[in-house]
Amino acid sequence: MTGSAGSERAEPRGWWGRWLASRAVARAAIAGTAVGITILAASAVFASTVTADATREVRRTQQTTKVLNDISVRINAQDAALREYLATGGTKYRSDQLAATLDSARADLDWLQANNAVDQVELDAIRGAYANYSRIVVEIMTQTERGASVQGYAELASLTFAPLRDEVLDNVHISQQSLADYLEGVDDRTVLVRTVAELMIPVVVLLFAVCAFVLVGYQRRAERQAERRLHEATHDPLTGLGNRTMFQDRLAAAVRQGEASGEPFSLLLIDLDRFKEVNDTLGHAAGDELLCEVAERLSRTCRTGDTVVRLGGDEFAVVLPSTPERAAALEAGHRVLETLRRPIELSGLMVDIDASIGVSMYPEDGSGTSELLQHADVAMYAAKRRKDGVVGYDPSMDGGDAGRLSLQSELRQGVERGELVVFYQPKVDLASRRPCGAEALVRWQHPERGLLGPDTFIPMAEESGLIDLVTAEVLEQALDQIARWVRLGHQLPVSVNIPARSLADGAFPETVMAALDRHGVRPGLLTLEITESAMIGDTTRASEVLQELRAYGVNISIDDFGTGYSSIANLRDMPPHELKIDRSFVMRMSANSRDETIVRAVVDLAKNLHLRVVAEGVEDENAMRALSELGCHEAQGYHISRPLPAAELTVWLSRYATSGLAISAA
Ligand code: C2E
Ligand code: MG
Ligand code: MG
């Protein structure tokens, strides 16, 4: 059996789950991870910048050191050449050698200047010393060429050379020292970056894990929500059974399977009888309870593989796969009906459920889903009409029964087009045998199907809510007719049948009074017939509506007394004016002593409560007489007259008035 799965909650379990699922945690984790990753990225950029700067610094220092060393080499070479020059007394060869060393360090000094490689003051000192030294060397060479003594210049040159050399070497040291200092700073920064990374990596990993948990949680919840949405789309929220969508899918799948395997299957369409009555009189909560109980019973009765769904309202369907023959499907229908018919307790009352089941078979009654459904519907409607319980589809039903659905849409138009006609069945006073009233009974003059009796469309009108339109129309026509009869001199009270749901409508008494006023009919000429079951339960609204109508002077009659969910206490709490004994008892009273006893009991009850009592279904003189003897006040039935169109009843009444004859044995 499928279609009764409950919906699953998608909430995470435990404080840890709830904590992870909270939006604040998700946001904090994502923000934290973003910040952590940014810090790590910034650290990496910082580290690489530090490394690049350090590399550049090392390279620059190496270059500077090399240039300073070159300068040192060049001035040493110049000094050596000067010494050789002085030692050899300035030979041409030595003179050329010395001249070649002149200004040899200038390019390197310019490089130092251009690259800002050493401190400017230091560089100026070197340049100054180098210029001095070079000038002395040039002077020595000039004096030597003149043949003059250069002893003083030679001493001066050696005095100038020593500080120049020291200055250059000092700068080599300075440069190396500043590199060492710089690298020490780089070390500090590297340690800082590493510390930050060591701290941040576990934090980021943790936050990342939280993010992963949160995301996985979100994904799970999204999956569960999708599952729940699918469940909601295919299930009835009240009963948990599959809904119409699931039904269409399963039926289509069964047809496909049938096409492939050639195996027949069957469709059961189930409609509860009198569900509206329960809903309107006991309230929606009781109606819901009833539907849930029905769903439960259906689920229990059906087998694994069967599809049980609620199509809406009080309509259910079962798809039975592989049903070899019609008999098996009908048997399943009877099994279902038997389970449904067991009484159910609602609001403290034992209520009998009944249902009508239509059965259609694949492929015999239809090869497609809509055909199968339509034929099951026709069969179900036939079951309802014939009060037959379970009925299998038969092609002969198509003509007379016609689809209930098309009838439903036609009824509204029919009411609007004035196709409803009201017949009147007279009632006579049993003591005087004179007409004492009439009951308005609706018929539908259908343009194609002819005159339809109320049983063919009232149950459907009650189910679809169209009954309100019907009630208003019948009330209107009946009041118009009462006014006409009054004008003709017949003060004839007329009874109108009112569905239970009108008693749930607080505005109903006002509607009735407005209609009475419009037609100028005094309230005492109108009786409203309500079924016994419409009065059960403590429906405060029903009680108020009835009290209000009574207060206006409208008469209240309880119809079909003895067949509904009896609660005699209602006769005390909401006393009517009249009880109408159901025709089933009256018609069988001469043949069945139990029915006679019931009729007698109802008559006694009514008399003791000072209520009028009417027997309907009086079909012969014997019944008439027996009822008279029992003390029943009024009689209605074919023996007196069948329900007649208004004009014919007018003739009937006039004939009676002029002949003055009491109604006697026909
Ligand atoms: P009901 O109110 O109990 O009406 C009496 C039914 O018994 C009528 O059937 C009437 O034709 C039938 N009847 C009267 N005398 C005899 C008899 O001697 N023998 C037999 N076998 N039947 C007899 P009808 O007109 O087919 O109405 C059936 C039911 O339809 C009514 O039962 C009432 O419940 C409902 N109905 C009729 N008109 C209206 C209406 O305007 N509004 C509502 N809500 N229901 C209506
Ligand atoms: Mg009636
Ligand atoms: Mg009745």
Side-chain angles (χ1 to χ4, degrees):
M1 208 278 305
T2 53
S4 56
S7 67
E8 200 188 311
R9 301 269 303 145
E11 291 305 315
R13 288 195 198 135
W15 69 267
W16 169 242
R18 279 195 299 279
W19 184 77
L20 277 180
S22 81
R23 255 161 212 263
V25 170
R27 281 189 191 141
I30 289 168
T33 309
V35 170
I37 288 174
T38 309
I39 291 174
L40 282 180
S43 306
V45 169
F46 181 67
S48 73
T49 311
V50 167
T51 310
D53 286 355
T55 309
R56 204 167 40 245
E57 194 58 32
V58 167
R59 216 173 269 140
R60 204 173 70 97
T61 309
Q62 271 179 345
Q63 190 79 18
T64 305
T65 310
K66 180 179 171 293
V67 170
L68 285 168
N69 281 332
D70 283 353
I71 292 172
S72 171
V73 167
R74 285 183 208 287
I75 59 170
N76 276 327
Q78 194 169 0
D79 187 50
L82 178 64
R83 283 179 208 283
E84 290 290 335
Y85 181 81
L86 290 173
T88 57
T91 62
K92 170 88 172 86
Y93 172 71
R94 296 292 174 200
S95 170
D96 289 346
Q97 244 185 355
L98 184 58
T101 63
L102 277 175
D103 267 351
S104 62
R106 187 167 304 280
D108 287 332
L109 287 168
D110 287 347
W111 185 90
L112 291 177
Q113 175 83 45
N115 288 283
N116 216 4
V118 293
D119 185 71
Q120 191 59 45
V121 178
E122 295 287 338
L123 186 63
D124 287 347
I126 294 173
R127 269 187 187 283
Y130 186 57
N132 265 347
Y133 178 67
S134 295
R135 244 191 335 269
I136 293 166
V137 170
V138 170
E139 196 58 40
I140 288 173
M141 286 173 79
T142 313
Q143 292 300 330
T144 306
E145 272 172 26
R146 282 191 200 146
S149 167
V150 291
Q151 185 60 38
Y153 286 113
E155 280 168 14
L156 196 58
S158 92
L159 279 176
T160 314
F161 176 72
L164 170 63
R165 189 193 52 210
D166 291 348
E167 193 69 37
V168 170
L169 289 178
D170 276 355
N171 271 288
V172 170
H173 282 129
I174 289 169
S175 176
Q176 281 172 342
Q177 186 56 48
S178 80
L179 177 64
D181 292 347
Y182 179 81
L183 289 178
E184 213 167 287
V186 168
D187 276 349
D188 290 347
R189 271 169 280 171
T190 310
V191 168
L192 178 71
V193 168
R194 200 177 54 226
T195 313
V196 168
E198 278 169 1
L199 283 175
M200 284 314 292
I201 284 171
V203 173
V204 169
V205 167
L206 185 71
L207 288 171
F208 201 74
V210 172
C211 281
F213 270 116
V214 167
L215 285 176
V216 168
Y218 270 121
Q219 193 193 356
R220 289 221 182 107
R221 260 176 300 151
E223 280 167 7
R224 278 199 293 259
Q225 267 168 7
E227 270 170 34
R228 204 171 50 204
R229 270 199 284 274
L230 180 68
H231 189 272
E232 279 166 5
T234 52
H235 286 77
D236 168 42
L238 176 68
T239 59
L241 289 183
N243 62 11
R244 195 173 274 276
T245 310
M246 180 189 271
F247 171 69
Q248 298 285 9
D249 285 356
R250 296 285 170 90
L251 190 60
V255 168
R256 282 197 299 276
Q257 166 82 15
E259 280 166 357
S261 66
E263 244 185 310
F265 69 87
S266 58
L267 167 63
L268 269 54
L269 210 59
I270 304 159
D271 193 274
L272 302 184
D273 295 342
R274 294 189 298 180
F275 170 72
K276 279 273 163 205
E277 241 169 73
V278 170
N279 219 14
D280 291 345
T281 55
L282 292 184
H284 289 290
D288 288 354
E289 210 183 311
L290 172 62
L291 291 172
C292 290
E293 177 62 23
V294 167
E296 180 65 33
R297 289 184 188 184
L298 284 175
S299 304
R300 264 190 272 124
T301 319
C302 292
R303 301 179 183 139
T304 320
D306 296 351
T307 298
V308 183
V309 297
R310 177 176 170 221
L311 295 177
D314 58 349
E315 210 169 62
F316 296 81
V318 180
V319 180
L320 300 168
S322 58
T323 325
E325 53 206 16
R326 192 176 293 274
L330 292 175
E331 194 191 306
H334 282 292
R335 212 174 43 239
V336 166
L337 191 64
E338 208 177 294
T339 343
L340 292 185
R341 275 182 174 162
R342 285 205 302 270
I344 165 178
E345 194 182 326
L346 295 175
S347 310
L349 286 166
M350 288 312 284
V351 174
D352 288 315
I353 321 177
D354 208 348
S356 305
I357 303 181
V359 179
S360 66
M361 294 281 299
Y362 171 90
E364 226 174 296
D365 301 334
S367 53
T369 54
S370 53
E371 212 180 344
L372 281 168
L373 184 58
Q374 197 187 337
H375 288 163
D377 195 59
V378 168
M380 191 267 285
Y381 189 52
K384 201 171 262 295
R385 213 167 56 85
R386 299 183 207 155
K387 299 199 186 325
D388 245 2
V390 182
V391 170
Y393 171 73
D394 178 335
S396 68
M397 289 170 179
D398 275 337
D401 263 316
R404 188 165 60 112
L405 295 173
S406 65
L407 257 193
Q408 198 165 306
S409 57
E410 282 175 42
L411 180 59
R412 180 184 293 278
Q413 291 178 343
V415 177
E416 280 159 11
R417 287 199 292 245
E419 289 170 9
L420 292 191
V421 281
V422 179
F423 277 37
Y424 297 88
Q425 187 176 32
K427 296 190 285 182
V428 293
D429 181 278
L430 277 170
S432 64
R433 296 237 168 176
R434 300 168 81 89
C436 62
E439 178 173 9
L441 294 161
V442 71
R443 273 98 183 90
W444 179 8
Q445 187 63 60
H446 193 280
E448 284 144 29
R449 295 177 195 140
L451 194 65
L452 301 179
D455 286 346
T456 53
F457 63 92
I458 291 289
M460 175 266 285
E462 283 186 341
E463 271 170 41
S464 61
L466 286 173
I467 192 68
D468 291 339
L469 276 182
V470 176
T471 307
E473 175 66 18
V474 174
L475 196 61
E476 198 66 19
Q477 290 195 30
L479 290 173
D480 182 60
Q481 193 53 52
I482 297 172
R484 283 167 196 265
W485 279 326
V486 169
R487 287 198 289 276
L488 292 173
H490 306 296
Q491 295 283 333
L492 193 74
V494 171
S495 307
V496 172
N497 293 284
I498 298 300
R501 74 189 252 136
S502 294
L503 299 189
D505 174 10
F508 184 67
E510 275 302 320
T511 313
V512 173
M513 285 314 292
L516 282 163
D517 280 352
R518 219 173 24 253
H519 292 278
V521 170
R522 68 180 166 84
L525 286 181
L526 177 67
T527 299
L528 298 181
E529 284 190 14
I530 51 172
T531 51
E532 192 184 354
S533 45
M535 290 179 69
I536 56 162
D538 181 26
T539 44
T540 344
R541 165 98 20 111
S543 163
E544 282 167 10
V545 166
L546 286 176
Q547 305 283 8
E548 220 174 313
L549 287 164
R550 277 186 63 108
Y552 285 139
V554 173
N555 293 310
I556 306 295
S557 170
I558 301 203
D559 203 358
D560 304 342
F561 192 80
T563 57
Y565 312 117
S566 292
S567 172
I568 290 177
N570 284 313
L571 298 179
R572 181 194 61 206
D573 301 335
M574 288 187 264
H577 295 89
E578 174 186 285
L579 296 187
K580 273 186 103 167
I581 312 170
D582 189 65
R583 61 182 185 272
S584 58
F585 304 117
V586 178
M587 280 154 57
R588 291 189 304 240
M589 64 184 277
S590 46
N592 186 330
S593 64
R594 292 175 78 87
D595 287 308
E596 204 236 319
T597 311
I598 291 171
V599 172
R600 185 194 300 276
V602 177
V603 171
D604 287 347
L605 176 72
K607 285 206 292 194
N608 290 335
L609 291 171
H610 307 291
L611 306 178
R612 299 281 296 168
V613 58
V614 185
E616 61 181 13
V618 179
E619 293 193 334
D620 52 43
E621 183 57 27
N622 285 346
M624 227 19 198
R625 217 170 279 138
L627 288 162
S628 274
E629 279 164 22
L630 289 177
C632 180
H633 302 121
E634 295 171 25
Q636 176 184 344
Y638 293 171
H639 178 58
I640 299 148
S641 167
R642 286 185 175 261
L644 300 171
E648 286 180 36
L649 188 68
T650 311
V651 174
W652 189 92
L653 286 171
S654 310
R655 202 178 58 218
Y656 174 82
T658 48
S659 70
L661 288 174
I663 292 153
S664 58

